[in-house]
Amino acid sequence: MLPMKDKLRSLCLLPLVVTLAAAAQTQTTPPIKMGLWKTSSTITTSGFQLPPEVAARMKASGRDPGQPRTVNTLSCLTAEKWKKVFDPTQHDQHCQFTNQQQSSSSMSADMACSSGAGAHNATGHMAMTFDSTEKMHGKFHMEVNSQSQPHPILIDNTFTGVYQGSDCQGISPDTPKLLP
């Protein structure tokens, strides 16, 4: 079982991974440049019940559970990883994408995912706009039902991505870097 910190980090990165996984299902290179991308995501979760001691530690560190949180990451995007790394089956997820739409300037999809162990399932919708080859933005909504939570967890994410250059500066395509 993952520690609470890792569960929260996974929830924060999940929208980006699922968005890219939906895009990877198209098997075409996206209309954006490959290389280093900085992504800023504002994530709001509700329905997630934290143990009281975890909620108290978060409040003591200045974070209010349930309030929107902005997470910034650097990611190395390559054509190979677009097709492989973001495959949800590599993350113990089994996802099906429906209502997929892709054009030269946008993409969207509905999704239904479940963990390999059956501990949770999720449904959601994502939409992404490619503003240019160096900028994108989008939104993501997911409802997660988990055996360990009495109510569904709702995740809403709005994000922007800005191309930083062709040099990934040592960041592995396999592991986005969380920024402070």
Side-chain angles (χ1 to χ4, degrees), residues 27-139:
Q27 299 299 317
T28 61
T29 304
I32 55 176
K33 291 183 178 181
M34 299 291 107
L36 188 64
W37 282 80
K38 181 178 181 182
T39 304
S40 180
S41 299
T42 300
I43 303 147
T44 304
T45 57
S46 61
F48 193 79
Q49 292 190 344
L50 295 172
E53 65 277 6
V54 173
R57 280 195 307 261
M58 288 178 72
K59 285 182 181 180
S61 70
R63 291 190 30 222
D64 189 4
Q67 293 300 307
R69 178 172 185 225
T70 299
V71 177
N72 295 302
T73 59
L74 288 175
S75 303
C76 181
L77 182 59
T78 66
E80 296 81 24
K81 293 303 175 180
W82 181 264
K83 292 179 182 176
K84 294 178 185 175
V85 167
F86 300 109
D87 178 353
T89 61
Q90 292 186 14
H91 301 283
D92 193 31
Q93 297 288 316
H94 301 280
C95 296
Q96 293 186 349
F97 297 92
T98 58
N99 300 321
Q100 290 179 269
Q101 309 256 331
Q102 182 174 356
S103 71
S104 62
S105 63
S106 67
M107 63 179 299
S108 64
D110 293 322
M111 68 210 75
C113 303
S114 64
S115 70
H120 65 269
N121 62 59
T123 57
H125 179 78
M126 58 72 76
M128 179 187 294
T129 300
F130 304 111
D131 301 305
S132 70
T133 60
E134 296 185 352
K135 189 173 181 183
M136 65 177 149
H137 73 276
K139 60 184 176 178

Side-chain angles (χ1 to χ4, degrees), residues 44-50 66 144 146 148-155:
T44 304
T45 57
S46 61
F48 193 79
Q49 292 190 344
L50 295 172
V144 180
S146 174
S148 64
Q149 296 289 315
H151 303 287
I153 300 167
L154 301 178
I155 303 170

